[in-house]
Amino acid sequence: MGAERSDGDSTAYPPCSECGRSVAAVTVFGPMAAIASPCGCAVSPTMFDGAGRERE
């Protein structure tokens, strides 16, 4: 299930690729293992670039 954001979304945090909630942090456990916070979804560590911005 992909996340969708409206153009009017006022949060500075990117959406979780699994549930769509705002992601404040990603804990990376390995090259293919990461957990988004605060939702707890398993996400790809490549979802974000090194500066914390969502990749396009």
Side-chain angles (χ1 to χ4, degrees), residues 2 4 7-8 11 13 17 19-20 23-24 26 30-32 35-38 41 45-46 48 50 53:
E4 293 183 21
D7 290 336
T11 183
Y13 300 110
S17 61
C19 71
V23 174
V26 175
M32 299 302 290
I35 301 292
S37 295
C41 293
T46 61
F48 304 96
R53 293 181 298 271

Side-chain angles (χ1 to χ4, degrees), residues 1-4 15-21 23 34 36 39-44 47-48 54:
M1 170 184 247
E4 293 183 21
C16 174
S17 61
E18 293 298 313
C19 71
R21 291 179 56 194
V23 174
C39 62
C41 293
V43 295
S44 170
M47 180 178 159
F48 304 96
E54 182 178 14

